[in-house]
């Protein structure tokens, strides 16, 4: 049921600003069920691997540095139409373009520090979930 799953990370700045509870509340109230979750910290190598698709882009090195700068919360979420509905909930990648009431509009502090990551396809949701969670870490 790949189309029912998406993956998210609450990024270091949002975690540091104690926005984790508010963001998880928005996720639950939007109808997503948490299927796996962990508080962790990425090494630069792991952050680089996670964002390997962006390697070579002007923002890549700074993104890797930022994503390994502090704790993050990783979670696997379930809902019908999960990928698309979660992207609607979080808003545009650049918070300047994010709709009112979205997670990024409320909690992002910059394009790079945009509060949360959300998978952009069912295929990537599965890859990203596998990156963080073993079978026994999922319900
Ligand atoms: P995310 O959804 O985690 O996927 C890739 C991340 O790269 C994105 O959110 C932003 O944090 C960051 N990013 C993408 N484009 C830019 C950009 N032009 N400038 C700075 N950061 C960017």
């Amino acid at each position: 049921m790949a189309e029912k799953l998406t993956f998210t990370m609450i990024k270091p700045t949002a975690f540091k600003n104690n926005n984790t509870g508010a963001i998880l509340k928005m996720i639950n109230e939007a109808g997503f069920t948490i299927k796996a979750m962990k508080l962790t910290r990425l090494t630069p190598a792991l952050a680089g691997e996670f964002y390997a698709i962006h390697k070579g882009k002007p923002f890549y090195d700074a993104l890797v540095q930022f994503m390994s700068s502090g704790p993050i919360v990783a979670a696997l979420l379930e809902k019908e139409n999960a990928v698309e509905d979660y992207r609607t909930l979080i808003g545009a990648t650049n918070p300047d373009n994010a709709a009112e009431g979205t997670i990024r509009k409320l909690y992002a502090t910059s394009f790079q520090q945009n509060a949360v990551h959300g998978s952009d396809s069912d295929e990537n949701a599965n890859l990203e979930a596998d990156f963080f969670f073993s079978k026994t870490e999922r319900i």
Side-chain angles (χ1 to χ4, degrees):
M1 291 290 188
E3 67 279 4
K4 284 189 170 183
L5 294 173
T6 193
F7 171 82
T8 190
M9 279 188 287
I10 297 173
K11 298 188 178 188
T13 308
F15 178 81
K16 190 174 156 199
N17 291 341
N18 283 336
N19 298 139
T20 299
I23 291 170
L24 292 175
K25 185 168 189 276
M26 287 181 73
I27 288 170
N28 277 152
E29 286 180 350
F32 292 87
T33 302
I34 296 168
K35 302 295 286 183
M37 186 162 66
K38 67 172 67 165
L39 174 62
T40 186
R41 183 169 174 164
L42 294 169
T43 61
L46 283 171
E49 195 184 326
F50 183 88
Y51 281 114
I53 195 169
H54 296 298
K55 197 166 185 171
K57 292 182 185 168
F59 59 84
Y60 176 76
D61 288 347
L63 179 65
V64 168
Q65 195 281 329
F66 165 59
M67 288 303 296
S68 56
S69 68
I72 58 112
V73 174
L76 182 60
L77 308 175
E78 184 181 67
K79 183 183 185 295
E80 292 292 340
N81 205 31
V83 167
E84 195 182 329
D85 285 3
Y86 191 63
R87 289 174 75 80
T88 300
L89 178 67
I90 66 180
T93 309
N94 182 347
D96 289 344
N97 302 326
E100 290 297 332
T102 59
I103 290 174
R104 283 171 169 158
K105 187 70 177 182
L106 288 165
Y107 299 112
T109 52
S110 70
F111 200 155
Q112 178 197 69
Q113 301 186 22
N114 59 354
V116 290
H117 168 79
S119 306
D120 63 4
S121 66
D122 294 333
E123 185 187 1
N124 282 337
N126 280 313
L127 290 172
E128 291 169 1
D130 288 346
F131 188 91
F132 278 91
F133 300 112
S134 68
K135 281 180 187 164
T136 57
E137 291 173 316
R138 305 174 191 209
I139 61 165

